[in-house]
Amino acid sequence: MAINSEVAMGNEDEMARAVAQGLHQYEHERREEARRRYLKQAWLGIGAGVIFLLAVLASFGKLG
């Protein structure tokens, strides 16, 4: 019976490590996803700003 409980304890340790590693991977993926979303928003904001500036310059006839 003692061998069986040692095996069960070993399995629990492995499961705990797997869960911890899975949580770490999940958090890492969430951070990467958030980073990509912020970068996308930044590029869209820059693009919108450029388009706005071009529209303002065009309204004053400065573009040609």
Side-chain angles (χ1 to χ4, degrees), residues 1-11:
M1 191 74 168
I3 294 173
N4 223 1
S5 66
E6 289 176 11
V7 170
M9 187 65 92
N11 286 341

Side-chain angles (χ1 to χ4, degrees), residues 3 12-13 19 21 29 35 39 42 48 50-53 57 61:
I3 294 173
E12 288 177 4
D13 289 343
V19 168
Q21 186 176 12
E29 288 172 359
R35 182 178 165 271
L39 283 173
V50 168
I51 290 171
F52 179 75
L53 273 171
L57 289 175

Side-chain angles (χ1 to χ4, degrees), residues 16-33:
R17 272 194 289 273
V19 168
Q21 186 176 12
L23 284 174
H24 177 73
Q25 182 68 27
Y26 174 74
E27 290 172 357
H28 177 70
E29 288 172 359
R30 284 193 56 199
R31 283 192 301 269
E32 283 297 314
E33 182 181 320

Side-chain angles (χ1 to χ4, degrees), residues 34-55:
R35 182 178 165 271
R36 277 185 248 116
R37 185 173 54 244
Y38 294 141
L39 283 173
K40 181 179 177 182
Q41 288 176 345
W43 282 112
L44 286 174
I46 290 169
V50 168
I51 290 171
F52 179 75
L53 273 171
L54 290 174

